[in-house]
Amino acid sequence: MTLQEYDYARESPSKLAASCLLLALTMKNLGGWTPTLEYYSGYRSQDLHPLVKRLNFLLTYQPRDKLKAVHTKYSHRVFFEVAKIPPMDMLKLEEKLKSC
């Protein structure tokens, strides 16, 4: 989704990928940012928090009519129906990120 949004073009691909991973881990309650992830990514959890919040906002307020093909593709069983996972409430996300 970020490939179609100009606001994310200035972010480094590695930081964007790390932020997406942290958001996914948080959304699925699979733990937080571990020292191993920090070592191999080069990013501390706190460095990723602003971008994670922006990504969740993008998921929350995405225009449904613009990205139908992307949403349909990732709603399929082959892609584990990730498009059907609801975005996190911003306050809950904030709480979880503080504990990372």
Side-chain angles (χ1 to χ4, degrees):
M1 289 180 58
T2 59
L3 292 174
Q4 299 176 358
E5 297 291 333
Y6 184 73
D7 293 341
Y8 294 92
R10 63 187 162 116
E11 299 293 344
S12 74
S14 63
K15 188 172 185 178
L16 191 57
S19 298
C20 288
L21 178 59
L22 179 56
L23 179 59
L25 290 171
T26 307
M27 288 174 78
K28 297 294 285 178
N29 291 320
L30 295 174
W33 203 245
T34 64
T36 303
L37 289 170
E38 183 177 325
Y39 176 79
Y40 284 107
S41 72
Y43 295 107
R44 295 179 311 133
S45 174
Q46 295 79 11
D47 300 335
L48 303 175
H49 289 181
L51 187 52
V52 169
K53 292 174 193 174
R54 284 179 48 215
L55 289 167
N56 192 61
F57 186 82
L58 178 65
L59 289 173
T60 304
Y61 297 106
Q62 64 180 324
R64 297 278 182 211
D65 56 329
K66 254 176 68 177
L67 305 172
K68 283 185 181 176
V70 173
H71 189 270
T72 302
K73 177 180 179 177
Y74 289 98
S75 294
H76 194 272
R77 186 171 34 118
V78 172
F79 296 103
F80 302 100
E81 300 177 337
V82 295
K84 294 179 180 178
I85 299 172
M88 289 192 70
D89 177 66
M90 293 302 275
L91 294 174
K92 288 181 183 176
L93 177 62
E94 186 78 38
E95 286 177 23
K96 288 203 173 205
L97 289 177
K98 283 181 184 177
S99 66
C100 287

